[in-house]
Amino acid sequence: MSAATEIAAAVRAGRRTARDVLEEHLARIDARESEVHAFNLVLADEARVAADAVDAAVAAGADPGPLAGVPIALKDNLCTRGVPTTCSSRILAGWRPPYDATVVLRVVAAGGVVVGKTNLDEFAMGSSTENSAFGPTRNPRDVSRVPGGSSGGSAAAVAAGFAPLALGSDTGGSIRQPAALCGTVGVKPTYGAVSRYGLVAFASSLDQIGPFAGSVADAALLLDVIAGPDPLDSTSSPRVPAALGPVLGAGVAGLRVGLIDELVDAEGVEPEVRDAVGRAAAALEAAGATVERVSVPSVVYGISAYYLIAPAEASSNLARYDGVRYGLRVDGDDVATMNARTRDAGFGPEVKRRIMLGTYALSAGYYDAYYGKAQRVRTLITRDFARAYERFDALLSPTSPTVAFPLGAKADDPLAMYLSDVCTIPTNLAGHAAASVPFGTGRDGLPVGVQVLVDAEQEPTMFRVMQVLEEQAS
Amino acid sequence: MTDGTTPITGPIRHPISRADVEHVARLARLALTDAEVERLTADLAAVLAHAADVAALDLDGVPPTAHPLPLRNVLRDDEVRPTLDRAEVLAAAPVAEDGRFRVPRILDPS
């Protein structure tokens, strides 16, 4: 099941060629991509060159690295030098970045083979990948349903077997929620654990890059490659994170796990999802952990606070799309008219909604009532988590309140879509780590994800819990 | 103010109105259509109504969190290093001229 780990081992040992691995995955893309639409761009030729280089290194007696020959898909908000990076927005259509994201360089340096750029909700704003200027991605488990979002293309690519690994970004749940809906593993690392250099910014105090994988071990493999300090990102943590490989298999005996009352009982959580979390808790107990209920009261304000803070930061970050330095320009007689026409033509409805919301929340007379209050709520949530982590090593909740929903079901109701993130948002506000692990199925046989939450920099504990859940789910 | 040029002076009224949306659109440099203004007036009202729970909290004495890490003035050595390639950067611009970005006029000639 640990496809990436096995591929890398086989390629490093010369038992399999990277080219052979790649062709197998390109054939799967050929067969199903037209119905799934996971990618904005498939880089078949570039990937063949990269795979051949890995094989040449092995033939020359060199070690290509821990991702040797492993195909990997990149969310299309990660900059790739000379390769179009669109954020699924018309405003960046055709843009070729003049630099690579740090995570891209690290993946390539580790022998990874980039197969393509995956679809997303425009500028990572959404929970269904329907807000893409290039059309929606569909859930490989049931193509009448959404894959979740915003990293829906990356989740779908892994679920469809197009690549054993993918990278996404998570601002309020954009890795974990699509991982849950597509039945893959998805990890939002601690804020600062992974460099954001070259990740197109949405909400800079919340954004974090993380892995999608078919297994917990594969997610650990990729996170070990991308994590660590980066002088190009002043918000990356200066501490070198603990390697995850060595903790795999350590089990959960003696760990204290808390079941978050407010998220298990949140409005809109489907009974099958709640049951899955209950079964996950029982599985951890059976494996030697203790499990108790815990209240983290202020998480109920998470959605409200997030939908003031994230749009506020976005309205500032997206000011750079002004028709001057890159991307689309719609002409006007003066520069302000050019800016405004470019932005109206280039941004889709959800991006405009968030820019407007954020600009309003930051505007004179409303700053204290909305943005200022939301920042104080952020403190409350962090304090409540700190209290919970005095008693518990890890916390448990649903990832998404529901299984994958049909395309169009929430497209006309922004607030209903925002509520998809109720369980994932608190982690981003606190800057902690959390992950989604598939745990059984819910309505219509669709995958359910269970969320494992830990304090900042406690990824080793999180991966121990994730791995036991993975074992017990099958 | 519907012509998009008259400056707003007084405070924004509540609940959010069409005029508020037009004002905010000008601040955000978005040339919205009438249909967009209408839709956004309803959408913003719905989200702000949901945020009323937060706006109503008494949080005096709770400090704000702007960022999850307690970082202050992250500095690096001041040394000359290569930067982005100028030709590569300008190649991505909608219009470039003489090694610079070209834009429409900024100041009114009158």
Side-chain angles (χ1 to χ4, degrees):
Chain A
M1 263 318 284
S2 289
T5 306
E6 284 169 18
I7 288 168
V11 170
R12 285 169 118 172
R15 283 184 277 116
R16 233 188 135 181
T17 65
R19 183 61 182 268
D20 173 54
V21 171
L22 173 66
E23 294 300 340
E24 180 185 306
H25 287 85
L26 289 176
R28 289 200 200 124
I29 294 172
D30 269 352
R32 278 201 81 192
E33 170 62 2
S34 61
E35 62 167 346
V36 174
H37 185 216
F39 291 100
N40 286 338
L41 182 65
V42 176
L43 296 162
D45 293 341
E46 294 84 344
R48 287 187 174 107
V49 171
D52 289 348
V54 168
D55 291 331
V58 173
D63 180 5
L67 297 180
V70 179
I72 179 165
L74 304 176
K75 189 175 183 179
D76 201 17
N77 61 353
L78 295 169
C79 287
T80 42
R81 187 171 186 176
V83 175
T85 299
T86 69
C87 296
S88 290
S89 181
R90 279 190 303 274
I91 214 160
L92 277 178
W95 179 54
R96 292 169 189 266
Y99 64 99
D100 281 305
T102 294
V103 291
V104 174
L105 292 177
R106 288 187 181 177
V107 160
V108 170
V113 174
V114 174
V115 292
K117 304 293 293 284
T118 61
N119 198 15
L120 62 148
D121 286 298
E122 185 177 359
F123 284 106
M125 297 177 187
S127 308
S128 68
T129 316
E130 291 169 291
N131 300 332
S132 165
F134 311 123
T137 295
R138 290 166 180 273
N139 192 319
R141 314 270 174 189
D142 175 351
V143 292
S144 73
R145 293 172 190 266
V146 303
S150 67
S151 313
S154 287
V158 171
F162 297 164
L165 296 177
L167 285 176
S169 63
D170 188 313
T171 305
S174 281
I175 291 173
R176 291 160 286 161
Q177 185 256 14
L181 270 48
C182 290
T184 75
V185 174
V187 181
K188 196 291 262 193
T190 300
Y191 185 87
V194 177
S195 168
R196 293 183 297 111
Y197 181 74
L199 166 67
V200 177
F202 161 14
S204 304
S205 80
L206 303 164
D207 296 341
Q208 189 63 185
I209 297 168
F212 287 93
S215 72
V216 174
D218 281 1
L221 176 74
L222 179 53
L223 186 51
D224 276 344
V225 166
I226 61 172
D230 178 14
L232 296 176
D233 174 6
S234 62
T235 64
S236 73
S237 170
R239 277 195 290 279
V240 177
L244 299 167
V247 308
L248 295 176
V252 295
L255 287 186
R256 302 160 302 165
V257 177
L259 205 52
I260 304 175
D261 277 337
E262 289 80 4
L263 299 184
V264 172
D265 299 329
E267 190 186 333
V269 175
E270 290 177 344
E272 295 91 339
V273 172
R274 191 172 292 124
D275 288 351
V277 177
R279 289 199 309 279
L284 292 174
E285 271 188 318
T290 57
V291 181
E292 283 176 55
R293 300 278 291 207
V294 59
S295 173
V296 187
S298 57
V299 298
V300 301
Y301 300 113
I303 294 257
S304 291
Y306 176 87
Y307 279 99
L308 296 169
I309 291 170
E313 293 189 20
S315 71
S316 170
N317 272 325
L318 272 63
R320 71 192 61 173
Y321 305 102
D322 56 7
V324 174
R325 289 153 297 167
Y326 32 68
L328 181 73
R329 174 184 291 189
V330 179
D331 279 323
D333 287 342
D334 56 56
V335 78
T337 306
M338 180 276 283
N339 296 153
R341 286 182 184 168
T342 297
R343 290 161 63 78
D344 190 56
F347 291 137
E350 182 60 29
V351 174
K352 289 178 192 169
R353 194 176 290 127
R354 305 242 188 149
I355 290 173
M356 291 290 290
L357 197 51
T359 306
Y360 182 81
L362 292 174
S363 66
Y366 289 92
Y367 184 97
D368 290 335
Y370 289 118
Y371 185 65
K373 275 279 172 64
Q375 286 189 312
R376 288 176 163 79
V377 168
R378 195 169 179 180
T379 306
L380 289 187
I381 290 174
T382 307
R383 285 178 179 171
D384 283 355
F385 272 126
R387 250 186 302 268
Y389 287 126
E390 286 171 8
R391 292 174 48 214
F392 297 99
D393 301 300
L395 303 175
L396 213 58
S397 83
T399 304
S400 159
T402 70
V403 296
F405 45 90
L407 267 83
K410 302 183 185 184
D412 292 325
D413 185 350
L415 199 54
M417 189 72 88
Y418 296 172
L419 294 173
S420 307
D421 303 328
V422 61
C423 298
T424 47
I425 276 173
T427 294
N428 299 79
L429 291 171
H432 296 162
S436 183
V437 186
F439 201 87
T441 52
R443 195 156 42 79
D444 302 320
L446 292 161
V448 172
V450 168
Q451 183 176 225
V452 182
L453 305 85
V454 290
D455 202 353
E457 301 181 348
Q458 298 304 309
E459 277 88 342
T461 303
M462 182 173 82
F463 271 81
R464 289 169 61 191
V465 176
M466 290 164 66
Q467 209 179 23
V468 168
L469 291 178
E470 177 179 58
E471 287 162 13
Q472 299 299 317
S474 52
Chain B
M1 67 174 283
T2 46
D3 63 5
T5 56
T6 315
I8 300 273
T9 48
I12 297 174
R13 290 172 312 283
H14 228 208
I16 193 159
S17 68
R18 225 188 126 86
D20 298 332
V21 170
E22 286 168 344
H23 170 60
V24 172
R26 275 201 307 121
L27 295 177
R29 289 275 196 278
L30 284 168
L32 301 178
T33 64
D34 280 351
E36 285 178 318
V37 170
E38 192 149 325
R39 175 74 205 253
L40 282 165
T41 305
D43 289 348
L44 264 55
V47 177
L48 292 171
H50 191 270
D53 59 349
V54 162
L57 289 174
D58 179 4
L59 297 172
D60 286 350
V62 179
T65 298
H67 198 272
L69 299 178
L71 297 169
R72 295 235 191 297
N73 297 337
V74 179
L75 303 176
R76 63 165 172 79
D77 293 336
D78 185 17
E79 54 193 23
V80 178
R81 292 184 302 188
T83 58
L84 298 179
D85 181 76
R86 180 153 148 173
E88 199 175 351
V89 170
L90 286 170
V95 191
E97 190 177 300
D98 298 336
R100 289 167 286 182
F101 300 111
R102 186 186 167 94
V103 295
R105 68 183 165 80
I106 294 172
L107 298 175
D108 193 324
S110 56

